[in-house]
């Protein structure tokens, strides 16, 4: 660590071991646009391939620019190790594939990004991996769906469109009793939620969103807390405890702590098995771009959340609005979770139902002048989209409603422009 600070503003700039480039003294992280690395000797090469020591081999598996991003996001989340991949989608696939084989299952929240639902319902299903959906309204639903072949729980901290904050501690506690790790997609909540403090075992992000922040680069990351007790039920995690014949029978649960001194078999297996075999590597250039975004993520999250609060208060009083959906506006326990788990802001994402349904929603989108109409969230700019006809259009009518997408729902990702300008644009589009 170049910093022992616990403040996210400082960690975003100084977290991890990077201080400067030792050969040039460059402070900015260089883009190591290389595929390969010259070995010191035949013995050195053999040691690297045999995992007797760690070092650079080939950019499909590791890269020095990407390594800075990995260490810094791990520090921001309070984890021990991280692995970057080519996209958030690849991160979602990897976290499941790292523990599940054909015949295994996992329990996922019903509140998920549409692309994740497609991955789980179709591609992973075709591989023989079964997803079981639990409504997080009652955390016990996760326990009810767990059997001896359940390898993990999967959820999003602040899923859209429902914007119901996930009961992190509640489900993590159930997982600890049953020895099932909770994996959380924290894409919508960097800085404002640190899921490891509430018992999550693994966190992943689409780096494409708030961490990158400028809509330039696709990327994903998986962070290992180092806190999950994989040894408590060895039969539950065959990928951690059965010999891996592709590494001469290595048992990751034993080999990784011996090699690294850390309880990070999940992160190491994702890198040396999944990145090696599936090859979804991030490009060093994208890592560089995302590092530039990461450096200001704490500042931006503060501004995103402050602006969202002002936009929400404006919309709540607007006569063209049927309903505002926002993390803290939910009644009872679900609204209380937003206050419990989100700190320093309640998120940039918001849903609105405009009076007049589908047609009114489409007209609103077509009349926006400042807000962009794009399939993205977490950009510095304010964004809007109509999920029923775009991001969620591949879901069935039943799955749409289960995901909380009504025909007139418009999703807003509030940016960091001046709040008055965002409000003025929304107001003129509503009046139009
Ligand atoms: N997770 C969430 C919550 C998302 O919103 C997205 C994309 O919208 C993804 C994962 C997938 O990320 P990517 O687009 O980087 O593949």
């Amino acid at each position: 660590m170049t910093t022992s600070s616990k403040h996210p503003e400082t960690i975003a700039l100084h977290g991890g071991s990077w201080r400067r480039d030792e050969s040039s003294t460059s402070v900015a992280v260089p883009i190591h646009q290389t595929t390969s690395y010259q070995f010191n000797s035949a013995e050195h090469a053999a040691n690297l391939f045999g995992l007797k020591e760690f070092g650079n081999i080939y950019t499909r598996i590791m890269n020095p620019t990407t390594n800075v991003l990995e260490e810094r996001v791990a520090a921001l989340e309070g984890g021990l190790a991280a692995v970057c991949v080519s996209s958030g989608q690849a991160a979602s696939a990897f976290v499941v594939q790292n523990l599940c084989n054909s015949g295994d299952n996992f329990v996922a929240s019903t509140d998920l990004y549409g692309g994740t639902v497609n991955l789980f319902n179709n591609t992973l299903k075709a591989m023989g991996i079964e997803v079981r959906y639990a409504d997080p309204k009652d955390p016990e639903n996760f326990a009810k769906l767990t059997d001896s072949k359940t390898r993990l729980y999967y959820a999003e901290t602040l899923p859209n469109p429902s914007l119901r904050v996930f009961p992190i501690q509640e489900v993590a506690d159930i997982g600890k009793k049953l020895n099932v790790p909770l994996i959380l997609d924290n894409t919508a909540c960097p800085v404002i939620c640190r899921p490891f403090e509430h018992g999550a075992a693994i966190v992943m992000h689409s780096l494409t969103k708030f961490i990158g922040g400028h809509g330039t680069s696709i990327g994903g990351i998986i962070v290992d807390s180092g806190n999950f007790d994989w040894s408590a039920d060895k039969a539950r995690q065959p990928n951690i405890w059965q010999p891996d014949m592709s590494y001469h029978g290595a048992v990751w649960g034993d080999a990784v702590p011996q090699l690294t001194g850390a309880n990070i078999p999940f992160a190491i297996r994702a890198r040396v098995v999944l990145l090696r075999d599936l090859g979804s590597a991030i490009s060093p250039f994208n890592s560089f771009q995302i590092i530039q975004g990461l450096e200001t993520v704490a500042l931006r999250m503060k501004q995103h959340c402050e602006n969202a609060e002002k936009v929400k208060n404006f919309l709540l009083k607007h006569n063209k609005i049927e309903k505002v959906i926002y993390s803290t506006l939910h009644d009872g326990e679900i609204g209380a979770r937003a206050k419990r788990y989100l700190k320093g802001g309640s998120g940039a994402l918001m849903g609105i139902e405009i009076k007049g349904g589908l047609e009114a929603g489409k007209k609103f989108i077509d009349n926006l002048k400042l807000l962009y109409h794009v399939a993205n969230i977490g950009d510095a700019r304010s964004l809007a989209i109509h999920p029923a006809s775009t991001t969620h259009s591949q879901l069935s009518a039943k799955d749409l409603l289960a995901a909380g997408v009504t025909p007139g729902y418009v999703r807003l990702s509030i940016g960091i422009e001046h709040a008055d300008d965002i409000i003025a644009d929304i107001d003129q589009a509503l009046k139009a």
Side-chain angles (χ1 to χ4, degrees), residues 49-51 97-98 101 237-256 265-266 268-277:
F49 275 88
L51 296 183
Q97 287 173 308
N98 210 22
N101 301 310
Q237 300 298 352
N239 285 4
I240 303 292
W241 294 106
Q242 280 179 12
D244 185 334
M245 297 326 287
S246 77
Y247 275 98
H248 302 296
V251 174
W252 299 114
D254 290 327
V256 172
F266 188 92
I268 297 294
R269 188 182 187 278
R271 183 185 299 286
V272 302
V273 177
L274 296 183
L275 269 180
R276 178 197 63 181
D277 294 354

Side-chain angles (χ1 to χ4, degrees), residues 87-89 92 113 116 156 185 187 204 206 208-209 218-219 377:
S87 66
Q89 266 319 94
S92 304
Y113 164 58
T116 309
E156 286 178 32
D185 179 342
T187 297
M204 55 145 288
S206 164
T208 316
K209 316 296 179 193
I218 304 272
I377 57 169

Side-chain angles (χ1 to χ4, degrees), residues 272-406:
V272 302
V273 177
L274 296 183
L275 269 180
R276 178 197 63 181
D277 294 354
L278 302 177
S280 318
I282 193 167
S283 94
F285 183 72
N286 280 11
S287 294
F288 171 81
Q289 289 278 14
I290 292 166
I291 289 169
Q292 310 317 305
L294 175 62
E295 296 193 344
T296 58
V297 69
L299 261 184
R300 283 185 287 107
M301 286 311 290
K302 193 160 171 265
Q303 191 68 28
H304 278 295
C305 294
E306 276 178 24
N307 283 354
E309 203 63 38
K310 288 180 185 161
V311 172
K312 176 201 78 178
N313 291 337
F314 169 78
L315 289 172
L316 280 172
K317 288 184 258 155
H318 204 289
N319 62 7
K320 295 264 173 19
I321 296 290
E322 192 85 54
K323 189 174 176 194
V324 181
I325 298 101
Y326 191 62
S327 60
T328 49
L329 289 179
H330 292 283
D331 293 333
E333 176 55 19
I334 294 179
R337 282 174 195 156
K339 290 171 193 129
R340 190 150 73 240
Y341 292 120
L342 305 184
K343 296 285 173 229
S346 305
L349 302 180
M350 193 176 302
I352 47 175
E353 281 174 25
I354 300 168
K355 287 182 184 162
L358 183 67
E359 283 315 308
K362 281 174 149 175
K363 210 165 163 199
F364 169 75
I365 292 267
D366 283 339
N367 279 292
L368 289 169
K369 293 189 171 63
L370 183 79
L371 275 74
Y372 280 89
H373 177 208
V374 295
N376 196 16
I377 57 169
D379 196 293
R381 300 158 192 84
S382 292
L383 316 173
I385 199 158
H386 179 234
S389 60
T390 56
T391 51
H392 287 63
S393 61
Q394 284 141 339
L395 301 191
S396 68
K398 184 172 148 261
D399 287 344
L400 268 181
L401 275 185
V405 180
T406 54

